[in-house]
Amino acid sequence: MNEIILKGIPAAPGIAIGPAYVFGHEDLSVERHPITEGQVPLEISRFEDALIQTRQEIIALQKKIAQEMGVEHGEVFDAHLLVLEDRMIIEEVISRVKKERVAVDFIFNEVLKHYASVFSRIEDEYLKERISDINDVGRRILRNLLGRKRTSFTDLDHQAVIVAHDLSPSDTASMHKNKVMAFVTDIGGKTSHTAIMAKSLEIPAVVGLESGTVQIKNGDFLVVDGSSGVVIVAPDAETLKKYQIQEEKIRGISQVLTTLKDLPAETKDGVRVTLSANIEFPEEVASVLQHGADGVGLYRTEYFYMNRKDLPSEDEQYEAYKQLADSFKERHVIIRTMDLGGDKFVSSYQFPKEMSPFMGWRAIRFCLARPDIFKMQLRAILRASTHGNLKIMFPMISGIDELRQARVLVEESKGELQRKGIPFNPEIEVGAMIEVPSAALTSDVIARESAFFSIGTNDLIQYALAVDRTNEKIAYLYEPTHPAVLKLIKGVIEAGHRAGISVGMCGEMSSEPEIALLLLGMGLDEFSMPSASILEIKNIIRSVTRERARQIAEEALGLTTGPEVDNFLKKKLRDILPDIYPVSTP
Ligand code: PEP
Ligand code: MG
């Protein structure tokens, strides 16, 4: 077989070389086998055994995930256990086996298909989500009835590259880093939350391959380059060698970079910036500290609300925020209040079906409409604020009015705690994410009432350029260095500085090496990114003077297209660090 080169969208850096494990293409077709009346009890007991076996499997899996990832990740399986106990499904199967005298696997499959089709016709996000629970559990039961082994990456018994049509952020969260060498998907964009999760887990990933699951077969040998978005099927000896050398080089560089861990993110002329981490789970603390972060610039708290049946209580949230405050002590932790909606939905709350969820009832819009849920989170953060340096940040602020309304709710939450005599830090900083163009364009006004800004470029780019961040078809238009985006960023930094506040960036863009150089020159104060990128960006900052970066930024801002800016910045970065960023990459 000749090698095939597939080009997708780079989602999480790193190189992986290994066998493909095509996920989700499993043939569980069953045939209709008539049975005699005497065989009916045997079929029913086969069904009962399969239910028991499935229950044991789910409990074991739940335990494993809870141990590895935290209890809340295991809770998704509570819904699966409930499906297993659904009397309606069980009784329908048993009565049809008795009545129709057909083997139970066929009947069960029919019942399952019927339920899935009934649920899929209901216009309700919550019930729609139940279809995937029913299908998931149904396939497990069917596998057990057919005596097949379960195929899932959660119990992969060898190292492999996962190849899938699509993976949800929670699929990705359940991957085990030691077994999953990388993953590639047909759909998705660079800043989709699945891609962001891969970076957190430090798993190389390529998304938006379009036909990966068609072109790649189970067991095919693959090279995945998560930095360039290239996937090579059946690489020839020469290609393999090239990537092995590249992989070794990356390993060597990352070893050298670890020596920077305890050094400040300071330019050659002594300008200090803040390098922080983006996290999705409190369990990431160790990795954040290990990569020498100055703090947490973005804690995406919405993962707290996902993969579970109920909303997290105030106490439960308090414990998690307290744990973060204790771990980071005087280092800051910016808690972004829940950004639900968009591509992140929760099972415990019924979100309406929307045509454009990223522009719909999302983030602060949801929170202002549900102050009861929002204030539960605010009180939890306030209570934990006495344990460390916590800050509050609101997502999706589109104008000063929204910020004011959100701040009123912070004040109300403080009042409620005060009346109960519960301590909190009354001076807690409250800042705004600038990720909607209208907020960027009125950032001078918003800055007067914010303690800090953090630019959310993942969203700002999609809204400024009208490019859905999760859609691979238009990913070529998603340009962080588009002059329109750069103008917005420049305006926000300047407005923040005129008002005397710190301006950070927690969008993925700040972790792109050549763009970090530009942002440094534009005067950005805080760079927040997945932990794994911190040392690379620290190295760039420590290799240049702010004055040189400023000149580079000035020249870049005079260019007229994104690709021109990219090429220009890449060349400048190569000049500064030629050993790490050589002219040609494989
Ligand atoms: C952003 O929009 O840049 C951001 C950091 O938030 P999220 O990716 O969670 O939308
Ligand atoms: Mg955002």
Side-chain angles (χ1 to χ4, degrees), residues 193 300 336 344 362 433 435 456-459 469 506-507:
H193 285 96
R300 288 185 167 93
R336 195 255 308 264
K344 287 172 293 194
R362 189 190 156 190
M433 270 189 94
E435 51 182 346
T457 47
N458 301 341
D459 280 313
R469 64 194 265 193
C506 55

Side-chain angles (χ1 to χ4, degrees), residues 207-373:
V207 298
L209 268 185
E210 301 205 349
S211 59
T213 51
V214 177
Q215 308 218 39
I216 303 168
K217 304 272 169 302
N218 231 349
D220 276 354
F221 203 65
L222 302 181
V223 168
V224 178
D225 182 351
S227 310
S228 65
V230 168
V231 176
I232 303 173
V233 189
D236 61 32
E238 199 185 327
T239 305
L240 208 54
K241 184 94 198 128
K242 212 156 68 174
Y243 277 98
Q244 277 161 346
I245 293 171
Q246 172 82 349
E247 200 186 7
E248 245 162 66
K249 192 177 159 208
I250 292 176
R251 210 172 304 133
I253 291 172
S254 87
Q255 252 160 23
V256 173
L257 291 180
T258 54
T259 58
L260 303 179
K261 182 179 162 280
D262 298 316
L263 297 176
E266 192 174 275
T267 61
K268 279 179 144 177
D269 48 350
V271 178
R272 176 86 197 254
V273 295
T274 305
L275 260 187
S276 325
N278 292 349
I279 61 168
E280 276 75 45
F281 309 111
E283 292 84 3
E284 288 175 72
V285 170
S287 161
V288 172
L289 294 172
Q290 204 181 321
H291 287 95
D294 292 321
V296 172
L298 169 67
Y299 169 26
R300 288 185 167 93
T301 55
E302 51 280 358
Y303 283 93
F304 220 130
Y305 295 76
M306 294 163 78
N307 287 348
R308 57 185 294 157
K309 297 270 322 152
D310 53 352
L311 290 170
S313 69
E314 182 182 319
D315 283 348
E316 192 183 337
Q317 294 186 65
Y318 162 73
E319 286 302 331
Y321 305 149
K322 174 180 172 298
Q323 184 202 324
L324 279 174
D326 286 338
S327 311
F328 287 99
K329 303 197 173 69
E330 70 283 354
R331 292 190 226 192
H332 69 288
V333 177
I334 299 180
I335 303 189
R336 195 255 308 264
T337 56
M338 64 187 105
D339 182 5
L340 296 170
D343 61 352
K344 287 172 293 194
F345 294 100
V346 282
S347 343
S348 50
Y349 192 82
Q350 213 169 309
F351 272 85
K353 191 170 160 40
E354 294 179 310
M355 289 287 281
S356 308
F358 271 116
M359 290 205 283
W361 203 46
R362 189 190 156 190
I364 198 70
R365 300 165 182 190
F366 166 79
C367 288
L368 293 177
R370 289 301 310 262
D372 51 335
I373 297 177

